Amino acid sequence: MCTAVTAVDHLASLLAPSVRLGARAMPQAGNLDAVIEALQGRIKSGSARPVAADLQHETVLRFWETPRLETLKDARLVAFGLSLPVGPEGACLLDDRSRLDAVLQGVDQWLHDARWYRRCYQGLVWSYFNCDIDAPSASLARRQNWQRLRDYLSQRAPKTVDPVANPDWVKAVICHRHLFGEAPCERHVADLLRGDHEEVDSICERLGISGSSWFLRRLVHEQVTAAAKLGHEEFRTLLPRLIDLLSSAPALRDEGLACLLERYHQMPQAPLHEALRDAAADGWGSPWLPANELRWSGMKEGVRSMVSEWLKAALIDRFFAEPRDGQSSRRAAFWKRYVKSIRTIEFAFGGNAMQAKQSRARLGPERVIGCGTCLSDGTEAATALVMRMGRAVIVEFSDPSIPVHGYDLRESDPFDLSRPVALAPDADNSLRQSHPSLSLPHQDGLHGWRQWEQMFEAAISDRFNVRPGSVPPADGASCVDLSDSTVGFGLGRAEPLGRIDEPGRQTTSSGEDVHWLTAEAASVPYSRADLEVLARVHALHIEDETTRTGRLWVRTDATDHRIARVLTGWGFEHVAGAGWHRCL
């Protein structure tokens, strides 16, 4: 009777692993060959079979209390459980040198038979690869004992070989003993960078290396490090795949992202890389937001500026993305030229709570756009973009019919974005004050300007000393003297620069003011109509002597280099004491 019970128990123990694999649906007839092949491959490889968690825990706990291995079954269970927390405060066998030594000495008693010994060795290999020694919680003792285990596995690898037959995992150990050395990943990096995963996949399958193993994390890290040492073009080609790799390894994201950003910043002119921009935004948010300062604290200023410019341009594009009018793309293109000048970007959202939430979602997550504030009297479509550059605060509105408002921080901070703001002029905490430093409409042909962009550029430059592509001083120390009420850009008024209460559209000419800050100022083709506009804007006197002498005169000196540049471009010559003339 006892014998029968023992035989039944023995049979149950043999069937238990199959039961734990779980029931599977019967495959279709056409797939049966593939299933048989897979099962044969599993048997041939000798991959580690799952062990009963409760039985393993019981055995490892018993070994912790009495570090002695009596049976091969216990030895195998303990070998697989070196990182199982069974001791005080979650300690494992790898945290205790004496207990680890007891394990290694205990399994050595089966060294005389490779088929027995390698059952324990296989468990030690599993513990070696799947113990998270890179975790911040891993003690120094655990790391040191892990290295002792690594040395043991390297030395004992030949003892797993049987003269007759060996499973595939043993062959993998013998062929890849570098895995138990100082540089276990180095040999595979070049293949992985070429996109060849076959060898690594085979190693992981045969040795039971899980997706959370330090081995796979280090492979990602070493690929990033190796790619950063390549030439510009090779690195750029690999960058998308490296970014994808980091997305699958959260523990390495910060370190790897920092390496990629630093390396990309070394690229000539570092052109926009959308995937790298989005990875930085997803991981660390916008560099100018105080809430993200800790995440960006370790990065060089040049890298922060590079990503800031990318993100600001993207936010400007998104703000003007809805084509409410024909000006949307022009407005986006204009302000994107100032991304180097813009220190911060903030938003105000109109509508009810749900509508404001949808507007925020369209622009990006909070770590990218900031908290933002609400427009207490704004409609669903109302949104405001607030840009700080140097000492200027510029406010653009989603409604193109509302002029751009600009304020000078030397006078006062015009509103408080930490609380709700208003859209109505001169309301409490309004974005639209009665006397802004600038109030400019999006209208072409005003006051001698062909396009409003040229008028805006000149006004912002003259009033705030902010130019496209430059980083203005935050204190505005080098800016123009605003105590001079005559400062202007050709509007012929003594009120704040750019203030236009009753815009008048220029219909007689498509001329332009010569305060342009681009080469276009001197390249506009000459026409008498443009000359008339130039004279009217700058109060110049024209004398037409073409019928008598064949010359057209502009009576002004050459002290204003901007006027001189345009007149020279139009074929005029200067005569000291007389002015500028052109032969017709």
Side-chain angles (χ1 to χ4, degrees):
M1 183 66 178
C2 294
T3 304
V5 173
T6 303
V8 170
D9 290 342
H10 179 61
L11 177 60
S13 67
L14 293 176
L15 294 175
S18 299
V19 174
R20 284 193 295 269
L21 288 176
R24 299 177 182 271
M26 176 63 69
Q28 298 294 326
N31 296 331
L32 188 57
D33 290 342
V35 173
I36 293 175
E37 183 179 352
L39 290 174
Q40 290 175 337
R42 181 179 298 174
I43 295 171
K44 180 182 178 183
S45 68
S47 300
R49 294 177 297 175
V51 296
D54 53 347
L55 179 60
Q56 182 186 41
H57 187 275
E58 178 185 339
T59 304
V60 176
L61 179 59
R62 186 168 61 248
F63 181 85
W64 179 274
E65 296 170 350
T66 305
R68 186 171 59 254
L69 296 175
E70 301 289 352
T71 67
L72 180 61
K73 178 181 178 181
D74 286 351
R76 182 173 185 272
L77 289 172
V78 170
F80 273 97
L82 295 185
S83 59
L84 196 65
V86 293
E89 299 181 356
C92 64
L93 295 177
L94 275 173
D95 290 316
D96 189 291
R97 177 166 180 171
S98 63
R99 287 182 169 86
L100 175 63
D101 286 346
V103 174
L104 301 182
Q105 293 167 8
V107 300
D108 274 354
Q109 64 185 291
W110 289 283
L111 276 173
H112 65 279
D113 191 320
R115 291 174 298 174
W116 291 0
Y117 171 70
R118 66 193 183 200
R119 298 189 67 192
C120 301
Y121 185 95
Q122 186 179 31
L124 296 176
V125 169
W126 192 94
S127 291
Y128 166 73
F129 278 112
N130 295 293
C131 174
D132 193 1
I133 58 166
D134 294 328
S137 59
S139 65
L140 176 60
R142 182 181 301 182
R143 294 188 178 98
Q144 291 173 339
N145 290 329
W146 176 84
Q147 291 174 353
R148 287 174 55 77
L149 173 62
R150 180 189 67 192
D151 295 341
Y152 173 91
L153 291 171
S154 178
Q155 295 167 5
R156 292 288 194 270
K159 297 294 185 179
T160 62
V161 179
D162 181 75
V164 179
N166 296 283
D168 287 348
W169 76 263
V170 170
K171 299 174 183 177
V173 166
I174 299 302
C175 293
H176 302 288
R177 287 183 65 181
H178 63 279
L179 297 173
F180 311 112
E182 293 288 344
C185 302
E186 183 177 346
R187 168 174 160 178
H188 307 286
V189 171
D191 288 341
L192 292 173
L193 287 177
R194 290 194 299 268
D196 183 357
H197 298 258
E198 184 176 354
E199 186 172 53
V200 169
D201 290 344
S202 174
I203 289 172
C204 291
E205 181 181 355
R206 294 181 181 186
L207 300 186
I209 301 175
S210 69
S212 60
S213 171
W214 59 265
F215 176 67
L216 296 181
R217 289 200 303 272
R218 290 189 183 181
L219 279 175
V220 173
H221 176 269
E222 293 197 19
Q223 285 182 77
V224 171
T225 302
K229 298 176 182 178
L230 299 174
H232 293 320
E233 290 307 315
E234 289 179 284
F235 174 73
R236 187 193 299 218
T237 301
L238 292 171
L239 191 51
R241 194 161 61 81
L242 296 173
I243 294 171
D244 287 341
L245 275 177
L246 290 178
S247 68
S248 64
L252 296 177
R253 185 197 63 191
D254 287 354
E255 182 181 356
L257 181 58
C259 180
L260 296 182
L261 287 170
E262 292 278 7
R263 175 62 182 85
Y264 193 80
H265 185 246
Q266 300 170 14
M267 298 280 290
Q269 300 180 348
L272 168 65
H273 194 287
E274 293 185 1
L276 188 57
R277 176 199 64 195
D278 294 344
D282 291 341
W284 300 344
S286 296
W288 63 85
L289 294 177
N292 300 327
E293 179 59 34
L294 182 61
R295 298 184 180 96
W296 285 95
S297 58
M299 299 306 298
K300 295 178 181 178
E301 186 57 36
V303 175
R304 294 180 62 151
S305 297
M306 176 184 73
V307 178
S308 290
E309 292 167 20
W310 290 350
L311 289 176
K312 288 167 186 173
L315 289 176
I316 290 170
D317 273 333
R318 292 173 196 168
F319 181 81
F320 295 107
E322 295 184 9
R324 301 182 180 90
D325 66 297
Q327 301 277 11
S328 294
S329 59
R330 288 176 60 183
R331 289 200 288 168
F334 177 78
W335 291 114
K336 280 164 62 178
R337 297 170 60 223
Y338 285 86
V339 291
K340 288 184 180 294
S341 309
I342 299 171
R343 288 186 289 115
T344 63
I345 283 182
E346 298 170 275
F347 297 94
F349 303 98
N352 59 36
M354 179 59 68
Q355 292 164 345
K357 182 178 180 180
Q358 291 172 348
S359 296
R360 286 186 172 94
R362 181 175 64 84
L363 290 172
E366 184 174 314
R367 62 180 172 273
V368 175
I369 68 171
C371 296
T373 190
C374 65
L375 284 167
S376 57
D377 57 353
T379 64
E380 175 185 357
T383 313
L385 169 66
V386 181
M387 299 170 284
R388 295 177 184 268
M389 50 182 85
R391 57 183 171 82
V393 180
I394 306 294
V395 186
E396 263 277 23
F397 300 90
S398 54
D399 183 352
S401 67
I402 302 177
V404 166
H405 283 56
Y407 302 92
D408 194 328
L409 286 173
R410 295 189 306 180
E411 299 170 0
S412 66
D413 205 339
F415 39 75
D416 180 7
L417 288 175
S418 66
R419 59 189 181 92
V421 293
L423 192 59
D426 292 329
D428 178 47
N429 204 34
S430 176
L431 297 176
R432 301 168 64 189
Q433 304 293 328
S434 293
H435 300 289
S437 298
L438 289 178
S439 179
L440 300 169
H442 306 90
Q443 288 183 286
D444 295 332
L446 289 179
H447 301 280
W449 298 93
R450 278 202 177 108
Q451 296 180 317
W452 59 259
E453 291 94 334
Q454 297 155 351
M455 178 174 64
F456 278 31
E457 183 179 322
I460 294 171
S461 174
D462 284 352
R463 182 64 180 178
F464 302 117
N465 196 32
V466 176
R467 297 176 177 83
S470 65
V471 180
D475 58 4
S478 62
C479 294
V480 296
D481 181 8
L482 298 183
S483 62
D484 181 0
S485 61
T486 64
V487 171
F489 66 105
L491 294 182
R493 302 186 180 194
E495 54 193 19
L497 179 63
R499 180 69 180 175
I500 305 175
D501 292 324
E502 297 178 358
R505 181 172 293 276
Q506 180 60 251
T507 58
T508 60
S509 171
S510 57
E512 294 160 327
D513 191 332
V514 295
H515 283 73
W516 299 342
L517 302 176
T518 65
E520 186 181 359
S523 61
V524 173
Y526 168 76
S527 71
R528 181 60 184 265
D530 285 322
L531 179 61
E532 296 287 350
V533 172
L534 178 69
R536 181 167 58 254
V537 169
H538 293 281
L540 305 178
H541 178 58
I542 297 176
E543 288 187 11
D544 189 347
E545 298 183 354
T546 54
T547 57
R548 184 166 57 89
T549 65
R551 294 179 178 180
L552 181 65
W553 286 88
V554 178
R555 301 299 184 181
T556 186
D557 57 28
T559 56
D560 191 325
H561 68 278
R562 295 168 298 183
I563 294 176
R565 182 179 60 176
V566 176
L567 290 176
T568 300
W570 286 349
F572 284 80
E573 297 179 1
H574 184 255
V575 177
W580 295 81
H581 73 91
R582 170 188 169 100
C583 295
L584 299 177

